[in-house]
Amino acid sequence: MGREEKQQPHGPAGKAALGAGWSHRHRDVSGGWLRPTVFGAVDGLVTNASLISGLGGGGVSAHTVVLTGVASLVAGAFSMGTGEFISVTNQNELVGAEVSLEQQMLTRFPAAEEEELAGYFRDYGADPQTAARMAAAVSRDPDTALQIHSRQELGVNPQELPSPLLAGVSSLFAFSAGAVVPLLPYLFGASSLALTLALTAVALTVGGMAVGRLTGRPVLWSGLRQLAFGALAIAVTYLVGHLIGSGA
């Protein structure tokens, strides 16, 4: 999903604000693609870099590193994709069940639901008479009433739920893209753990900086934070592999 654009005002104040750069364009915050993509890429990168580091610490052959790394990539990608698809599907089904319950309440107890809606408007600062008129106006359209109640009581818009397929596919391909980076030196015949770690460090930093740009956080800080956490996982795995390999 891309940016969401609200209806632009037509009054003089709104036009003046638009001329000065005011805008209601926002980035997608629903998590439909960004969360599984970022999580999948980072997970794939850290998982395979740590795995290769542990194998390198244990002194195994380059062939074993490639075989294990590729197996980890394939297994992890399908695990991530399937898990993300099921997770989002279950979440959407839960939301759907609660929205259906709210629909039943609107059908069976319209007066009570309208009174509840007026209470929401009063909480936002409307006086009782205005709140009652607003609630009556909204309640005349069942679809609008259901949407407003769902947003107030569930915190979701039932018409804008994330796509399980998009989340699953994004996660699968993102994990694969992240997991292949630490394998590249070995796939091209340069069996160097140092080169793998250097590529991983660059990818972690650049990936963190890209996420920082998307989320509006300090770019360098986001990159270094992701590098630090990834380095910790890789270092611990290397130590474990070295201890086990030296004791074999």
Side-chain angles (χ1 to χ4, degrees):
M1 295 177 64
R3 290 174 177 260
E4 175 187 353
E5 184 172 3
K6 296 182 180 179
Q7 183 178 3
Q8 300 297 335
H10 301 287
K15 290 180 179 179
L18 286 173
W22 178 79
S23 174
H24 263 180
R25 293 174 63 86
H26 296 287
R27 287 168 288 197
D28 172 39
V29 296
S30 66
W33 66 270
L34 180 59
R35 184 185 63 84
T37 299
V38 172
F39 181 62
V42 173
D43 193 18
L45 182 60
V46 174
T47 296
N48 248 16
S50 299
L51 176 65
I52 293 171
S53 178
L55 293 172
V60 303
S61 67
H63 176 74
T64 301
V65 171
V66 171
L67 176 61
T68 308
V70 170
S72 172
L73 186 157
V74 174
F78 279 95
S79 175
M80 286 287 295
T82 302
E84 194 67 36
F85 177 85
I86 293 174
S87 174
V88 175
T89 298
N90 290 341
Q91 179 66 25
N92 286 353
E93 289 173 348
L94 175 61
V95 171
E98 293 302 312
V99 170
S100 177
L101 176 61
E102 186 62 33
Q103 178 69 73
Q104 294 177 31
M105 295 299 101
L106 284 166
T107 302
R108 295 178 58 191
F109 309 105
E113 291 292 321
E114 182 176 326
E115 183 178 316
E116 182 181 46
L117 194 57
Y120 294 139
F121 293 137
R122 288 195 300 271
D123 292 340
Y124 285 130
D127 61 77
Q129 292 77 20
T130 301
R133 289 196 299 271
M134 292 170 65
V138 169
S139 298
R140 280 195 288 270
D141 182 354
D143 291 336
T144 302
L146 179 61
Q147 187 175 357
I148 297 298
H149 278 280
S150 298
R151 284 179 170 176
Q152 291 295 324
E153 298 175 30
L154 303 176
V156 299
N157 184 344
Q159 299 177 352
E160 297 180 359
L161 297 179
S163 165
L165 181 60
L166 176 61
V169 171
S170 298
S171 185
L172 185 149
F173 282 103
F175 185 97
S176 301
V180 78
V181 171
L183 272 174
L184 289 176
Y186 290 88
L187 292 175
F188 286 99
S191 305
S192 170
L193 180 59
L195 185 54
T196 286
L197 296 180
L199 280 176
T200 301
V202 171
L204 283 170
T205 305
V206 172
M209 293 173 68
V211 173
R213 184 172 179 82
L214 283 172
T215 58
R217 303 296 298 170
V219 173
L220 183 58
W221 166 250
S222 297
L224 293 177
R225 178 180 62 180
Q226 188 156 292
L227 174 62
F229 283 111
L232 177 62
I234 292 169
V236 170
T237 312
Y238 177 86
L239 178 61
V240 172
H242 178 70
L243 291 175
I244 294 176
S246 62

